[in-house]
Amino acid sequence: MKNHFIKISLYASLLFLITNCATKKNTTVPDVKKDILLQDTVVYVPKNKSEKKTFFKDSDKETTWVDSIYSKMSVQEKIGQLFMISAYSNKDSLHTIEINKFVQDYKVGGVIFFQGGPVRQARLTNLYQSKAKVPLFIGIDGEWGLGMRLDSTYIYPWNMTLGAIQDLSLIENVGRNMANEDKRIGIHFNFAPVLDINTNPKNPIIGNRSFGEDKVNVSNRAIALMKGVQSQGVFSTGKHFPGHGDTATDSHKALPLITFSKERLEMVELYPYKQIFDEGLVSVMVAHLNIPSLEPLPNYPSSASYNVVTNLLQKELGFEGLIFTDGLAMKGASNFKGPGDLEIAVILAGNDILLCSENIPVAFQKLEAAYNENIITEERLAHSVKKILHFKFKAGLNKYKPIAISNIYNDLNPPQNDALHYKLYENAITVLKNEKELLPVKNLDQKIAYVKMGEDVNSTFVTTLKKYTEVTEVSNANIESLNDELKKYDLVIIGFHKLNKPWEKQNFTDAELIRLQEIAKHNKVILDIFTKPYSLLPITDFDDIEGLVVSYQNSNISQVVSAELLFGAIPAKGKLPVSINNSFHVNDGLSTEKLNRLAFTAPENVDMNPMILSKIDAIAQKAIDGKMAPGMQVLVARKGSVIFQKSYGSQTYDNTRKVTNSDLYDVASISKMISTLPNVMQLYDKNKVELDTKLKDMVPLFAKTNKAEISFKDLLTHYAGLQAWIPFYKATLDHEGKPSIKYYRSTAESDFSTKVADGLYIRNDYHDTIMKIIADSPLSLKKEYRYSDFTFIILKEYLEKKTHKKLEDLSQQNFYSTLGMNNTLYNPLDKFERSNIAPTEIDNYFRHQVIQGYVHDMAAAMEGGVAGHAGIFSNAMDVAKMMQMYLQKGNYGNKQYFSEQTFNAFNTCYYADKGVQRGLGFDKRTGKDGPTCACVSPSSFGHTGFTGDIAWVDPETEIVYVFLSNRTYPGNSDDNKLAKGKIREDIQQIIQDAIIK
């Protein structure tokens, strides 16, 4: 069989169309406008009837059932089958009584539901079906899912958004999901897909409902959606025949005039119909349009035209499925003829089902009279009614069962819907401009501002941007003042957020256009529009806009995915479905580089079960209820994407402030792994230190001590025999247990400027004392594993002497600034409000105050809050970035921090034969002897923190797990209920259990 897509010359295409697509009555209407679309040379050659696909096979049982039902019908019952009436589940009992009457007295054949809710609609469907002699067709106008009409149901992206997607299997999945949701509440027809080619940007009624302006794109996407729907046994209805895409009038309000020639209609508007008919479309909805080239009678709606419905649709195009009128109460039809006369006209034109008649009793009466007068013949009536009955059999209505009411909401809103939704936007969002490869934003160490435009919400977008780096929201009504503020920023992201409603005005206001122009003129700008592409039409000059992104809709998921794209967690894949003046054309869309930064998605997209992950909630609540910790953050990432991020409880047990994802926690010993260790790894990577390097050569202070010969390897594996810790603070207290004036001051002085806590400053030289105590401390007599804080206290000393830089500066410069860890730091009160930091203790033994914003560890506090073993404050998101960098063996954001060989060296158990499950700085203990469940692999690694934390990575499953808490608050931290309760381990077990094998 030859390829059905043929490139031919303009002359040949016109010749083909003229000779093969002529109506019986040769009527030529000259075009009012010269149509450039006629230059399109892509033609679809319809298949032979035997080659057409079908989703719903005929059978002898079907024919027998149809004949049996039809033979028992009265004329009135037959006429009733022609009606599909409007119904609502959000109206009062009078409406329900009225629908019941139509079903019982007029024997209507179907109901199309509009606004309401799914459970109410299901109950009403059961009621109406119980009153019907022949089970009813149930339909819905759900172009982007049930959410187009019903509350508490899922809303998929609009067709214009889907039009940007190149992977048609995703659109087919949308159709499949829609159909399953339809079936769950007893719907047989979804009046979709929209086949209109939106070549008129000012179209008042189609717009976002179209897949775009290119006929091939529209056709392919409509077919994909239809295949998905019909594969699940639900009927699709293609609309609005013969094409409503190039109109300037809304047919709900008046009769649109289409002045195109027959050739143009054949070439453009009818193209998707020809193709989708061959692919098995079940039904068509005929629009109310005035098309002189198809119907010579003046002001004659296409829905009432025999030339359109019978000659063109059925005879020329060979369509044999069900034919619906568009709503007959629409002014495009009702202004033509009154109730009853209109129904007669559209039936005589060749339609099968009368949709939403304005006055059913009058229409019914006139149709019956027309039948009695033989205006509508028995043959004509039987043709439509039997066709309707055939499809009722195919819908399973020969064995009708009521809808099960229980669990409808959950069935209609499964978590996998979000998984698909993420994929849709990952494939739709389109980059139209990217000067000097501004996108993705690689440099996280620059100052970035965000400016909001539009009246709708933007919080999800801004929150996600801030998960990548520090982004400052800047606003000022005065444009000059705003630009003055923006001068201190290197990059400005402008988000244009419009209401996520398809028929709302979504254009820039004149004031916003001026504001945009002025900001772009004076700043490096990325404009990201969360609305239809047509909103860009008023912008005539894009020269000053360096980056331009179309995110299509202002949903939560589109905002998350768009932020991911800006920072390179995902690449740009979308293509523009429509043209924007001469600036951008259909199918334009730039690819962008993918950086291996953490992305965000639904669990199913990385083979994780969200229902199992939801069990984490109960474990977290158990910890809170059991006073194991007042609150916590939990984050799970897999395969490079965060799939679970939640905060639980409050900062304190009095519940005055709930924990948020952005709150900071004292991560205690995790500081070793995310501050000191990576800096040491960089020096190792540069051959500045080796596994066998002796401590005496690293830190001269230890040259003449019992620790001189300790190797770098032994130090980091805690196999050096160092003491676990020493309570240095006790030697600085007076006889009352308070900080001694010998060592402390209440206000800063020249020799007492090292801050320990509020109103408490220690002698600046006390660091030397701590190091001398460590140097002089005894070693264990037997060489064995003993975990010690001294290791990292010593390594801080080594780093600072080797690099001549402070540890806090090293970590910030070498890692945090480029990883986007802008919430990770020592001494957080220098940058953050106290209320954003979880307290760790009510100290009644050393500092005698609430410890909030100061490090919990006493030795680290005596070092001014900056120590090699403790002192870092962070949140789960930031910690996950460092852990993902480790998982990627030293690479993050396509930046190599140290070599893969270095990572492997540090993630090796050198003394496994001695029972030591430690790498170089990494804890690798699993099972009963470690801080993890026994479910993680031997290659896994991480660290815990005394304040109630764990950060763990399993390379085999590609999972990053972060748990942060302040279990030490308010005190009695030695009674570690969190550890005894195995909260962190139980959550890790749930994470492993959630892996979809």
Side-chain angles (χ1 to χ4, degrees), residues 670-679 807 811 816 826 872:
I670 288 178
S671 303
K672 299 167 182 169
M673 182 174 62
I674 68 173
S675 180
T676 312
L677 185 64
N679 284 294
L807 176 59
S811 294
Y816 302 159
Y826 295 95
I872 284 291

Side-chain angles (χ1 to χ4, degrees), residues 23-30 257-258 260 262 289-302 304-308 311 336:
T23 56
K24 297 210 172 177
K25 190 180 279 187
N26 187 7
T27 312
T28 303
V29 177
L257 173 65
I258 293 180
F260 306 132
K262 176 76 178 295
L289 304 168
N290 178 12
I291 314 174
S293 62
L294 298 180
E295 176 52 66
L297 295 174
N299 298 315
Y300 216 88
S302 49
S305 168
Y306 187 87
N307 283 325
V308 172
N311 286 340
F336 171 63

Side-chain angles (χ1 to χ4, degrees), residues 585-760:
H585 303 99
V586 66
N587 294 326
D588 278 357
L590 303 173
S591 298
T592 57
E593 183 182 3
K594 182 185 186 301
L595 308 179
N596 56 354
R597 289 177 179 145
L598 280 170
F600 302 88
T601 194
E604 294 92 336
N605 289 337
V606 291
D607 301 316
M608 298 287 281
N609 186 322
M611 300 306 294
I612 295 178
L613 285 174
S614 68
K615 295 178 181 179
I616 293 173
D617 295 352
I619 302 296
Q621 193 59 50
K622 173 185 173 183
I624 295 165
D625 293 343
K627 303 289 186 184
M628 302 178 198
M632 61 214 64
Q633 295 174 344
V634 181
L635 182 147
V636 182
R638 190 180 192 206
K639 297 180 180 180
S641 292
V642 175
I643 55 169
F644 187 99
Q645 185 183 11
K646 277 191 175 183
S647 293
Y648 301 90
S650 302
Q651 289 187 0
T652 60
Y653 287 112
D654 59 12
N655 298 321
T656 54
R657 193 186 188 284
K658 296 293 183 184
V659 178
T660 69
N661 288 342
S662 60
D663 282 353
L664 301 188
Y665 278 92
D666 178 341
V667 300
S669 285
I670 288 178
S671 303
K672 299 167 182 169
M673 182 174 62
I674 68 173
S675 180
T676 312
L677 185 64
N679 284 294
V680 170
M681 292 173 79
Q682 280 197 341
L683 289 184
Y684 177 89
D685 199 56
K686 295 173 182 175
N687 298 317
K688 302 294 185 183
V689 64
E690 297 177 354
L691 294 183
D692 294 328
T693 301
K694 303 303 182 183
L695 184 54
K696 65 183 179 182
D697 298 319
M698 294 172 62
V699 184
L701 171 66
F702 294 92
K704 296 181 179 181
T705 70
N706 58 356
K707 303 169 186 65
E709 298 301 317
I710 293 174
S711 70
F712 178 72
K713 179 173 68 175
D714 288 356
L715 190 67
L716 275 166
T717 53
H718 299 279
Y719 201 59
L722 297 173
Q723 283 185 247
W725 77 298
I726 294 174
F728 301 109
Y729 76 96
K730 287 186 177 181
T732 67
L733 302 181
D734 61 20
H735 66 283
E736 293 181 349
K738 300 289 180 67
S740 169
I741 193 169
K742 178 180 178 181
Y743 300 104
Y744 297 96
R745 295 289 185 270
S746 59
T747 59
E749 298 178 9
S750 59
D751 294 332
F752 293 79
S753 61
T754 303
K755 195 170 188 180
V756 177
D758 287 338
L760 191 63

Side-chain angles (χ1 to χ4, degrees), residues 137-202:
F137 272 148
I138 305 297
I140 198 163
D141 205 3
E143 295 165 16
W144 46 88
L146 293 176
M148 182 175 174
R149 300 296 177 187
L150 304 181
D151 62 37
S152 308
T153 56
Y154 206 80
I155 300 174
Y156 293 93
W158 305 328
N159 288 341
M160 185 68 75
T161 306
L162 300 182
I165 295 172
Q166 305 305 298
D167 183 352
L168 299 181
S169 68
L170 293 173
I171 300 173
E172 190 168 336
N173 287 340
V174 172
R176 191 174 290 113
N177 280 18
M178 285 181 179
N180 286 325
E181 291 157 22
D182 290 339
K183 282 197 300 184
R184 180 61 183 87
I185 56 172
I187 292 170
H188 312 109
F189 280 93
N190 187 356
F191 293 109
V194 173
L195 292 162
D196 301 319
I197 301 162
N198 205 74
T199 49
N200 182 356
K202 296 182 180 179

